[in-house]
Amino acid sequence: MMRSLPIVAALAGLLPAVSVAADKADEAARAAILKLVPQATIDTVEPAPMAGFRQVLLGGQLVYVSDDGRYLMQGKLYDAASRTDLTDARLGKARVEKLKNIPASQLLSFGPDKPKYKLTIFTDIDCGYCRKLHQEVAEYNKLGIEFDYLFFPRSGIDSPSFKKAVSVWCAADKKAAFTAAKGGADPAPLTCDNPIAAQFQLGLDVGVDGTPAVYAPNGVKIGGYLPPAQMLERLQQLEAAKSGT
């Protein structure tokens, strides 16, 4: 009579096949993306929350590719049972990884002494809603919300907005120059070593497609302008969802 293999040995025998299948699915996903966009830079390929698909991070976006590489989907993936936006949750983790190493010296921060929430905001000097957001910064601060600004001149490197951002950065009092520029004053033209181009590229890397681009501490994109009370409410909702309450 043939003896049954021990469970551990049986499982060990299955592992190489599973690994090979996963590798093939990863390669199929990569090939599908590069066939459509040959110049694409793929950050990661990993199993998607739904069976039969991989999820691919590239350029601040998340797409889903079937394990055979035939089907590609772009859009929001929700867990209906938990009412969770799985796409934004995964993108949030990726954004946190990209944003966490920015030194405080490269941020323009406006906040209370002991903020409860810190928002990362990509901003453009000439953006109307960016200006409206900053004009109300004192109200957000009273609610315990800190703004940590990064520059994202939407018209690109060497544009007038880009040069204004450089001038603000090079001013003797950066925060005062920033606030004046947000009020409509043209900053005095200045140049110096600055992080503006690097911040613009970082914005592209995390998927900024408009300004103000407001990100919660967990990397979730809140969106653009929200009035102070609504911004606080949104942050409280995200906090409650994280704690499961």
Side-chain angles (χ1 to χ4, degrees):
M1 180 181 294
M2 184 178 294
R3 296 180 61 188
S4 299
L5 288 173
I7 293 176
V8 173
L11 289 175
L14 290 175
L15 290 178
V18 172
S19 178
V20 169
D23 288 345
K24 286 184 177 180
D26 288 352
E27 288 306 312
R30 289 181 181 275
I33 295 293
L34 294 175
K35 184 177 180 180
L36 291 172
V37 188
Q39 69 274 23
T41 300
I42 297 172
D43 295 323
T44 62
V45 179
E46 59 197 21
M50 56 184 174
F53 280 80
R54 318 307 277 177
Q55 58 187 23
V56 184
L57 274 165
L58 69 163
Q61 300 181 65
L62 188 65
V63 298
Y64 303 95
V65 183
S66 58
D67 285 349
D68 60 5
R70 181 174 179 180
Y71 300 103
L72 183 148
M73 298 188 301
Q74 185 175 10
K76 297 286 192 180
L77 177 65
Y78 287 91
D79 183 327
S82 64
R83 299 182 181 181
T84 303
D85 183 338
L86 299 177
T87 301
D88 210 26
R90 181 62 185 90
L91 285 173
K93 291 180 181 179
R95 292 186 192 114
V96 167
E97 287 301 307
K98 291 180 182 293
L99 296 172
K100 70 180 183 180
N101 294 321
I102 302 171
S105 61
Q106 291 188 10
L107 298 168
L108 286 185
S109 297
F110 293 79
D113 292 336
K114 295 181 179 180
K116 184 172 183 180
Y117 303 103
K118 293 186 178 184
L119 297 179
T120 301
I121 302 174
F122 286 87
T123 191
D124 181 309
I125 293 293
D126 296 317
C127 153
Y129 274 106
C130 297
R131 290 183 172 184
K132 181 174 177 58
L133 187 75
H134 189 66
Q135 286 165 2
E136 299 174 9
V137 67
E139 296 302 314
Y140 294 93
N141 291 169
K142 288 178 183 177
L143 296 175
I145 301 171
E146 176 176 304
F147 286 1
D148 292 333
Y149 283 114
L150 296 166
F151 287 97
F152 189 84
R154 296 173 300 176
S155 44
I157 293 176
D158 290 333
S159 65
S161 291
F162 180 92
K163 292 175 181 177
K164 288 180 184 180
V166 171
S167 294
V168 165
W169 186 264
C170 296
D173 188 334
K174 294 180 176 62
K175 292 175 68 172
F178 181 85
T179 297
K182 287 297 186 182
D186 286 337
L190 296 169
T191 59
C192 65
D193 290 336
N194 65 83
I196 310 304
Q199 291 183 4
F200 178 72
Q201 183 58 53
L202 177 61
L204 295 176
D205 292 343
V206 301
V208 173
D209 54 7
T211 54
V214 182
Y215 295 97
N218 63 354
V220 169
K221 186 175 182 179
I222 291 178
Y225 170 82
L226 285 177
Q230 290 184 29
M231 187 74 79
L232 177 62
E233 182 180 5
R234 179 68 177 124
L235 288 166
Q236 290 171 337
Q237 289 171 350
L238 290 171
E239 188 175 50
K242 182 179 179 180
S243 63
T245 59

